[in-house]
Amino acid sequence: MALPEQIVTVDAILFDLDGTLIDSTPGVISAWKTFAEEYKLGSHLPIVQKTHGRRLADTLRDETICNIQDTKILDSEILRFEDLVIQGSPVALEGAIEFLAQLDSHHDMRTRWTIVTSASRYYATQCIPKCEIPVPASGFVTADDVSEGKPKPAPYLEGAKKLGIDVTKCLVIEDAPSGVQAGNSAGAKTLAVCTSHKREDFENCSEEIKRPTYIIDDLTRVRVNWENSKIRLTIDTRRGPDSD
């Protein structure tokens, strides 16, 4: 049985954005409701759950969803969808701003983290300041920067490369099984936060996805400090009284 509080030491941290650092759920649901009606997709809620964590371009191109193959139309629809999400007023998730403030409080730690999102650079540039999330000192990785999105490892490999750190010495923090799969496939340690999925979804991951290294309720369960030129995290993996 895993200890309720665990210590992990890494060289860098790679954060997902939506569902991990910010809550964009109302806007995402609204956007999919609009698109489901226009593209005659039926109920939008199963699509919200099925596509969470994937690049929007991959989802809108998917023949079983919107089947948009024309590049010009696809680019236009991505912007329209993301604008609808932004109009839903995304906010920082509990513990996110405090966690990032801890990382930015030390000169060396502030260059050892970045954001790796399945959204576009346009969306990330709008949402990060809107949610009062600090912009990573080394910049961030978006869907525009990789040829393959999550659950492929490319986004997190690119994130580690941006920081100049071996990905096997990184911790990926994710809320979606597809993101956990991307982090595991890249060779990083993975930490799942149960903000958009139940703990059981991560405990019972398929062989393809693989279980995350750690599972927590939310980012209030992590403390960080700088020790011997590495990031030392204290992770409280206990299930909270209000968790599913």
Side-chain angles (χ1 to χ4, degrees):
M1 181 180 293
L3 296 173
E5 195 170 83
Q6 300 187 53
I7 306 297
V8 58
T9 301
V10 296
D11 285 0
I13 301 176
L14 310 175
F15 291 92
D16 172 51
L17 182 60
D18 291 75
T20 299
L21 294 176
I22 70 173
D23 181 9
S24 56
T25 306
V28 171
I29 291 174
S30 175
W32 271 121
K33 186 173 186 298
T34 297
F35 272 59
E37 290 172 352
E38 293 181 6
Y39 284 88
K40 301 185 181 352
L41 303 176
S43 174
H44 60 290
L45 294 178
I47 302 173
V48 172
Q49 192 69 10
K50 175 184 176 183
T51 62
H52 181 64
R54 293 176 58 191
R55 287 195 309 178
L56 184 57
D58 296 334
T59 299
L60 295 182
R61 248 193 318 252
D62 191 322
E63 293 179 359
T64 66
I65 305 178
C66 293
N67 193 23
I68 304 173
Q69 305 303 322
D70 183 282
T71 302
K72 198 174 208 179
I73 295 174
L74 179 64
D75 290 343
S76 175
E77 288 294 73
I78 288 171
L79 285 177
R80 184 166 72 99
F81 188 101
E82 291 184 335
D83 274 332
L84 288 171
V85 177
I86 294 168
Q87 289 167 24
S89 300
V91 295
L93 280 161
E94 186 177 10
I97 292 175
E98 294 79 7
F99 190 172
L100 297 181
Q102 289 179 59
L103 290 171
D104 276 352
S105 67
H106 192 285
H107 179 267
D108 292 312
M109 272 202 296
R110 68 186 303 270
T111 62
R112 297 291 191 93
W113 69 274
T114 190
I115 293 171
V116 179
T117 176
S118 293
S120 72
R121 183 159 296 275
Y122 166 77
Y123 176 87
T125 302
Q126 299 288 316
C127 276
I128 290 173
K130 189 179 183 71
C131 296
E132 300 181 354
I133 295 291
V135 176
S138 301
F140 45 81
V141 176
T142 73
D144 304 330
D145 301 314
V146 292
S147 58
E148 292 184 311
K150 305 170 189 177
K152 299 293 187 182
Y156 284 116
L157 292 173
E158 186 65 26
K161 180 180 176 182
K162 180 172 281 290
L163 297 179
I165 302 291
D166 184 337
V167 72
T168 63
K169 296 178 180 178
C170 294
L171 176 69
V172 164
I173 303 185
E174 266 282 355
D175 74 300
S178 62
V180 169
Q181 183 178 349
N184 284 336
S185 297
K189 293 183 177 69
T190 51
L191 170 63
V193 290
C194 301
T195 50
S196 65
H197 288 74
K198 295 180 180 179
R199 183 176 286 259
E200 288 73 21
D201 292 335
F202 296 112
E203 290 176 336
N204 303 315
C205 279
S206 68
E207 181 60 30
E208 183 182 20
I209 294 174
K210 295 188 177 62
R211 181 185 169 121
T213 319
Y214 313 97
I215 305 173
I216 57 173
D217 288 346
D218 56 48
L219 291 178
T220 65
R221 299 303 188 98
V222 186
R223 302 190 307 277
V224 296
N225 56 52
W226 185 251
E227 187 176 283
N228 298 322
S229 299
K230 292 184 180 293
I231 301 173
R232 183 178 188 269
L233 300 96
T234 303
I235 303 172
D236 183 353
T237 59
R238 291 173 295 184
R239 182 191 295 265
D242 299 326
S243 63
D244 290 324

